[in-house]
Amino acid sequence: MTSAPARPREWLEPDGLGGFASGTTELFRTRRYHGLLVAAASPPADRRMLVSGLEAWLTTARGRRALSAQRYAPGVVFPDGASRLESFAAEPWPTFTFDVDGLRLEHELFMVHGAPLVVLSWSAARSAPLARDAPVTLEVRPLLAGRDFHALMRENGAFRFEPERRGERLEFRPYDGVPELVVLSDGVYAHAPDWYRNFLYAEEHARGLDATEDLASPGVFTWELDQGPATLVFAMKSPEAEELLVGPARNLAARLRDRERARRGAFPSRVARAADAYLVRRGAGRTIIAGYPWFGDWGRDTFISLRGLALATGRFDDARDILVEWAGAVSEGMLPNRFPDHGEAPEYNSVDASLWYVIAVAELLRAAPGAVRPEQRGALCAAVSAILDGYTRGTRYGIRMDPRDALLRAGEPGVQLTWMDAKIGDYVVTPRIGKPVEVQALWINALAIGAELDERWRAPYERGVASFGARFWNAEQGCLFDVLEPDDAALRPNQIFAVGGLPHALLAGERARRVVERVEEALVTPLGLRSLAPGEPGYRARYEGGVFERDSAYHQGTVWPWLMGPFVEAWLRVGKSRDEARRRFLAPLRAALDAWGVGHLPEIADAEPPLTPRGCPFQAWSLGELLRIERLLAD
């Protein structure tokens, strides 16, 4: 595996509600999204950055030493806590070990599943002689924000530093309309408000975005570590948190630590445990976060990811709850690509999200029919019928079954409807108007599934299969067209869905084998499939630069790990070696689990070596398809 990012690895601690803590293994915060408490005010949406980070110092007989490190504009690093960082461990939760003048200090943090609450602790053990009568003092200064997690904060006069004190508990109300921050500690708090200015976030700068921020620090917590570990708890004030915030801080931390250790220990593997990060609560139901730190729950991503994250791991109840939650959102045959939040209109701008929903419903009913009650099955099947009816009659953006060939036409100028959905202002990078190949594979699969429920879908299914076989083969290149009407012969990975990745393959025999080999030759990399073959017009080898540069490269060569799932399934369907697939395709993805987002797979990567990971470091469908590959290749 050649990919080795030249930047710090990142860790993630989710709370099961869409909130999280995240940072780098080298202490520096490199994104506006890195923080100790990002909480969802309306789970999983309306996420707020409440606690961005902290400054920490340890004082021994040999002096005062930093345990934190920040990067300030224009590139100044201060203080020097990273120089004392000895190691980082991700399991069972992020743990940093420091060597401070012969004293070994362990700092761990974990979020509590089902509550916007994070527990931090520090414990010391001497590993070299120190003056036994000298105290070991820990000081911690929280760095608070109180902002939308996409935004940045500047020093201002409106921030409220003064907390309401209730014994060990402090309550901060930084701004009107921002959720209250509850802080519980077994240390001594001294109020000393100050602003820390001009933090520089290197990843934001590299992405061509605003990259500097000021943060507010209300005061300092102090502990004598000779008297035992230090505990600090941050929580967004909420019913879920209040239910847990009972008793002294140290006892609370011990109780929650035992609970989380038992919960995480129940997962059968590290990858299954990582999958749990994306399955979150929405209202009374469940949904899937597309990626951390900045994505929400999107239709297409949810239904693609669900097959690996939930079905391949046996979490059938979660899969059922997610699909039932979405069943009521069908409109004119379409499901929203972005789930509606409070006061917001749904965004029905995807041709394939609804079709992926049909696939997911069928696979759930096939894998675990006993997990679905009759009324739930009725709701799921009604949603499937509504999708097929809507697409047959015609719906938004020119989406309609063509009565001539039973294939699905979609698109109009200015709209991006397929998964290749990059848009910069009014410029659609890959419009793919007409009959995209993977959309036909999804549509024909959906018709086949519909025919199992209602015989009236049998005839359009059979016509669609015949039309696909007659019209999509590109004899000149020995593979499939990417789009018909107008015809587009660009060599892209979308054709792989005609062979693998869906329940019903549309190609078999020699044509299927040639598609797999053509895709393998031009598009397969150790981290996934290129979105466009080298040498094609518009091909981009790197995903970097400002917003325009990155978005215009997003589907023009950039590698997508999630596409390895359908490719491996296609590889097996044409009779190729299972052992070779494990070695060539599965092993590199497993190796990449610690390349950038620790324990996870990234959203994308550069198209050429060293295949630098890019985009979201923690991506649901990337990890979901890895789980699906593991199941496909299981002995």
Side-chain angles (χ1 to χ4, degrees):
M1 168 100 183
T2 58
S3 57
R7 55 191 187 280
R9 297 182 302 151
E10 300 180 45
W11 54 264
L12 174 72
E13 267 288 290
D15 67 3
L17 302 172
F20 59 91
S22 185
T24 73
T25 61
E26 299 179 10
L27 299 182
F28 301 101
R29 289 175 302 115
T30 62
R31 300 186 189 275
R32 68 184 70 199
Y33 303 98
H34 285 158
L36 298 176
L37 181 61
V38 179
S42 300
D46 194 14
R47 285 177 280 188
R48 307 297 183 94
M49 175 68 74
L50 298 180
V51 183
S52 290
L54 54 79
E55 292 279 32
W57 304 267
L58 195 71
T59 300
T60 70
R62 297 179 183 175
R64 189 171 186 254
R65 307 288 190 253
L67 302 174
S68 51
Q70 316 288 349
R71 182 170 280 111
Y72 296 91
V76 176
V77 174
F78 183 83
D80 61 349
S83 67
R84 299 179 183 88
L85 181 61
E86 187 178 83
S87 64
F88 170 84
E91 296 292 329
W93 41 66
T95 302
F96 300 84
T97 301
F98 298 86
D99 186 341
V100 185
D101 295 333
L103 183 145
R104 191 171 184 269
L105 182 79
E106 190 172 89
H107 168 44
E108 64 179 15
L109 65 94
F110 62 90
M111 296 208 80
V112 176
H113 190 80
L117 186 153
V118 62
V119 177
L120 295 85
S121 67
W122 293 261
S123 57
R126 288 187 172 90
S127 57
L130 283 175
R132 292 188 176 274
D133 57 350
V136 178
T137 304
L138 173 70
E139 301 167 75
V140 173
R141 249 193 185 279
L143 301 170
L144 308 186
R147 58 168 170 82
D148 180 278
F149 81 139
H150 292 306
L152 290 170
M153 188 170 76
R154 284 297 188 183
E155 180 177 356
N156 62 85
F159 190 94
R160 299 186 189 123
F161 286 95
E162 190 69 37
E164 183 177 335
R165 306 184 188 221
R166 298 181 181 178
E168 286 190 339
R169 175 173 172 147
L170 304 174
E171 293 185 6
F172 293 90
R173 298 172 176 82
Y175 300 106
D176 291 337
V178 172
E180 295 176 36
L181 172 66
V182 178
V183 184
L184 197 65
S185 164
D186 55 2
V188 177
Y189 176 72
H191 195 59
D194 206 349
W195 283 94
Y196 280 60
R197 303 171 185 88
N198 284 330
F199 291 99
L200 176 64
Y201 301 139
E203 285 292 332
E204 307 299 322
H205 184 265
R207 290 164 59 86
L209 303 173
D210 292 342
T212 57
E213 179 168 45
D214 304 333
L215 295 171
S217 180
V220 181
F221 292 88
T222 304
W223 296 263
E224 299 300 328
L225 290 187
D226 289 59
Q227 300 174 15
T231 302
L232 188 58
V233 178
F234 297 115
M236 182 184 77
K237 194 169 186 179
S238 64
E240 297 87 352
E242 291 295 343
E243 187 176 330
L244 299 175
L245 291 170
V246 178
R250 190 169 298 177
N251 294 346
L252 168 68
R255 186 173 73 248
L256 295 178
R257 183 180 289 105
D258 290 344
R259 188 179 99 164
E260 276 300 300
R261 194 180 296 277
R263 192 187 74 83
R264 299 179 193 206
F267 289 101
S269 70
R270 183 185 180 205
V271 182
R273 192 156 51 250
D276 187 58
Y278 303 97
L279 294 151
V280 303
R281 194 183 81 194
R282 176 178 275 282
R286 304 281 282 165
T287 190
I288 290 177
I289 293 291
Y292 293 95
W294 57 75
F295 289 148
D297 56 332
W298 295 346
R300 175 189 297 118
D301 298 63
T302 293
F303 311 134
I304 292 173
S305 303
L306 178 146
R307 302 191 305 157
L309 300 181
L311 296 182
T313 59
R315 300 182 64 156
F316 302 126
D317 289 350
D318 284 333
R320 176 202 63 213
D321 291 348
I322 291 167
L323 295 172
V324 169
E325 178 73 12
W326 283 81
V330 179
S331 168
E332 301 177 40
M334 298 182 72
L335 280 167
N337 198 37
R338 190 174 68 86
F339 207 96
D341 289 324
H342 297 297
E344 296 182 356
E347 293 182 5
Y348 291 90
N349 62 347
S350 165
V351 63
D352 53 338
S354 301
L355 302 176
W356 278 112
Y357 179 87
V358 175
I359 304 301
V361 166
E363 294 199 350
L364 169 65
L365 295 178
R366 186 177 300 114
V372 184
R373 298 192 303 272
E375 69 275 15
Q376 294 171 326
R377 181 185 177 91
L380 297 176
C381 292
V384 169
S385 295
I387 290 166
L388 294 176
D389 281 329
Y391 276 30
T392 300
R393 289 192 305 266
T395 184
R396 302 170 180 86
Y397 310 119
I399 299 171
R400 184 172 185 173
M401 185 183 78
D402 188 333
R404 299 171 300 171
D405 57 14
L407 298 179
L408 193 68
R409 182 170 179 81
E412 58 187 36
V415 180
Q416 73 284 29
L417 295 179
T418 74
W419 80 273
M420 293 186 160
D421 58 357
K423 185 178 181 182
I424 311 163
D426 294 330
Y427 168 52
V428 177
V429 181
T430 50
R432 304 183 72 228
I433 296 171
K435 296 176 178 176
V437 62
E438 83 284 5
V439 172
Q440 308 315 310
L442 284 161
W443 169 242
I444 294 169
N445 268 264
L447 289 172
I449 291 162
E452 296 172 9
L453 305 174
D454 188 332
E455 192 61 27
R456 68 192 174 102
W457 299 114
R458 179 72 56 192
Y461 162 69
E462 292 175 351
R463 288 177 57 220
V465 170
S467 298
F468 186 91
R471 300 195 58 200
F472 265 90
W473 186 251
N474 181 347
E476 183 178 341
Q477 291 194 14
C479 59
L480 298 176
F481 285 100
D482 188 60
V483 183
L484 294 183
E485 300 178 12
D487 296 355
D488 182 356
L491 182 51
R492 295 185 181 275
N494 303 303
Q495 61 188 293
I496 202 66
F497 288 99
V499 186
L502 297 173
H504 303 276
L506 302 188
L507 293 181
E510 179 64 14
R511 284 188 174 183
R513 184 188 63 78
R514 291 177 70 182
V515 164
V516 171
E517 292 177 353
R518 190 79 177 94
V519 169
E520 177 191 0
E521 175 188 24
L523 302 176
V524 171
T525 77
L527 271 183
L529 273 59
R530 295 185 180 98
S531 46
L532 184 65
E536 291 279 359
Y539 173 77
R540 297 279 295 280
R542 300 279 183 269
Y543 178 87
E544 57 191 2
V547 174
F548 183 89
E549 289 79 13
R550 287 184 286 108
D551 284 355
S552 59
Y554 207 29
H555 303 105
Q556 295 294 94
T558 297
V559 166
W560 292 78
W562 80 275
L563 293 171
M564 191 64 87
F567 174 78
V568 169
E569 190 165 18
W571 170 277
L572 297 177
R573 282 180 175 175
V574 299
K576 290 183 177 287
S577 165
R578 189 175 299 266
D579 287 340
E580 188 176 354
R582 291 191 189 99
R583 176 178 56 82
R584 291 184 53 199
F585 311 129
L586 178 58
L589 286 180
R590 282 178 171 167
L593 285 169
D594 286 316
W596 190 18
V598 177
H600 295 253
L601 288 176
E603 176 192 9
I604 53 177
D606 283 344
E608 303 292 344
L611 302 176
T612 302
R614 305 284 189 183
C616 251
F618 311 95
Q619 189 75 6
W621 61 13
S622 299
L623 194 75
E625 285 301 287
L626 171 61
L627 284 160
R628 229 170 55 82
I629 292 170
E630 289 185 336
R631 186 164 183 174
L632 287 168
L633 295 177
D635 289 323

